[in-house]
Amino acid sequence: MDAAGGGVSRVDTVVDAFHAAVGEAPEGVWQAPGRVNLLGEHTDYNEGFVLPVAIDLSCLAAARRRDDGVLHVRSVQHGAGQPLPLDDLDPHRIPGWSGYAAGTAWALQQQGIELSGADVVVSSDVPSGAGLSSSAALECSVGLALAELAGARVDPTALALAGQRAEVEVVGAPVGVMDQMVSMHGRAGSAILLDCRSLEVRRVPLHLAEAGLQLVVIDTRVTHAHASGGYAARRAACEQAAELLGVRALRDVTLEDVEGAADVLGDERLRRARHVVTENARVLALADALTRGELAPLGGLLAAGHASLREDFEVSCPELDAAVDAALAAGAVAARMTGGGFGGSVVAIVPAAQVDRVRARCRSAAAAAGFSQPVVRGVQAAPGAARLR
Ligand code: ADP
Ligand code: MG
């Protein structure tokens, strides 16, 4: 392993792939990580707080300038994208997965950054669609490569916003900026407290290994069909609740405000708003505890977060609940669903010696219930996007 957390052999592999595709050596290799959200779900679009962790699964981008103004991105996993002229990029005509990569190039240009043409070969070990943000890893690695090759000094937050803009406007996925922010700002051994209104970032120490603990992601490998509709409905309910409460976003209300407006909100909007308000408080409480070096509150705060997502926000599902229960029963000190819900992954904090037991228990619980076999991965808190070579 090299200092930045990527395997040396992965760098060599992407350099070799670049050589085979382009016929020359790359000028450099860049890396951007995926992430897992420790706490703070459905708070981003309510202008609240999130506490994600950049992880040691990442996208590598090997790149070299071209002098014809053409951007040519190839993926070891997803094949060649279509060559696109940078001076005439139409964001609505970028096909397939190139939308994430070339879309970020387009968004950087919209920020006034002049890019040169480039050959880029990406290779990622972030599983695609598992809720670990392979998309932000792709956007941030390619965006950083293109910007640095062009000699531009990009602010990490500006680059994160370019990646988000690609995903929202080019790919058409209504995402917040958390994934890109943590991919850019992550730090080894740390979680990132992000204020989704100001985009202020605070690094929060996550000294798990010192306490014999391991960060674990349990991918249920299910995504329920109503995931995107459910997300849109939750977002709309939060916007309506904010409007009824007379504020710009649910960030601006207290639990007393919400409970005092029960008649105006009605039961469902009250529960949606209560989740957001209590979740923001949990994120801030956990960030403070971790900053003091206290790990003990993890269990209670993640449990309360999961219960709130299940009962008040109603975005959990039987597979997620079963994985949380199995992880806790097998010795995890904390576990909750992570990501938007309706499937996806669970994040757990597990004594290192119990990880195999947690894996076995999650798999047997899933088998007994007739669910897909989950994939259980130990991950480390890793650094944000950087040039490796
Ligand atoms: P997540 O970010 O949770 O993994 P998304 O649906 O947001 O899931 O992003 C997954 C998409 O990102 C893939 O369908 C693909 O279009 C793109 N992607 C991810 N990894 C790669 C890769 N290595 N090469 C090309 N495209 C990729
Ligand atoms: Mg994504």
Side-chain angles (χ1 to χ4, degrees), residues 35 100 129 131-136 139 167 175 179-180:
R35 62 97 189 96
Y100 299 92
L132 298 179
S133 204
S134 65
S135 57
E139 291 147 11
E167 202 149 333
V175 295
D179 298 354
Q180 295 82 2

Side-chain angles (χ1 to χ4, degrees), residues 110-137:
Q110 297 294 305
Q111 290 180 4
I113 294 168
E114 275 191 41
L115 301 176
S116 63
D119 283 297
V120 184
V121 173
V122 298
S123 181
S124 182
D125 64 3
V126 188
S128 179
L132 298 179
S133 204
S134 65
S135 57

Side-chain angles (χ1 to χ4, degrees), residues 96-257:
W97 68 264
S98 296
Y100 299 92
T104 302
W106 167 77
L108 285 171
Q109 290 181 313
Q110 297 294 305
Q111 290 180 4
I113 294 168
E114 275 191 41
L115 301 176
S116 63
D119 283 297
V120 184
V121 173
V122 298
S123 181
S124 182
D125 64 3
V126 188
S128 179
L132 298 179
S133 204
S134 65
S135 57
L138 173 61
E139 291 147 11
C140 293
S141 59
V142 173
L144 190 63
L146 294 177
E148 290 198 1
L149 276 183
R153 278 270 130 255
V154 243
D155 168 59
T157 296
L159 206 151
L161 288 166
Q164 181 203 19
R165 194 165 176 202
E167 202 149 333
V168 174
E169 293 185 37
V170 180
V171 178
V175 295
V177 77
M178 166 173 74
D179 298 354
Q180 295 82 2
M181 284 295 280
V182 62
S183 187
M184 293 307 301
H185 289 278
R187 182 184 276 184
S190 301
I192 297 298
L193 174 64
L194 171 65
D195 179 333
C196 297
R197 171 171 282 170
S198 67
L199 298 188
E200 190 190 326
V201 163
R202 200 177 98 202
R203 293 183 172 112
V204 174
L206 190 64
H207 296 309
L208 297 179
E210 295 88 327
L213 296 171
Q214 171 78 53
L215 189 59
V216 168
V217 180
I218 304 157
D219 175 8
T220 65
R221 301 178 72 213
V222 293
T223 308
H224 290 291
H226 57 296
S228 65
Y231 176 87
R234 297 307 178 281
R235 232 180 135 137
C238 289
E239 278 159 21
Q240 290 159 12
E243 201 179 321
L244 290 167
L245 290 162
V247 291
R248 173 173 142 179
L250 289 177
R251 154 75 171 269
D252 299 312
V253 294
T254 63
L255 188 54
E256 292 68 42
D257 294 335

Side-chain angles (χ1 to χ4, degrees), residues 60-112:
L60 301 183
R64 178 181 188 91
R65 279 168 288 187
R66 294 171 63 101
D67 52 20
D68 61 0
V70 172
L71 176 62
H72 199 157
V73 187
R74 303 164 178 89
S75 163
V76 170
Q77 289 75 33
H78 292 235
Q82 192 176 303
L84 296 162
L86 277 175
D87 59 358
D88 191 25
L89 259 186
D90 177 349
H92 305 296
R93 288 173 171 270
I94 303 178
W97 68 264
S98 296
Y100 299 92
T104 302
W106 167 77
L108 285 171
Q109 290 181 313
Q110 297 294 305
Q111 290 180 4

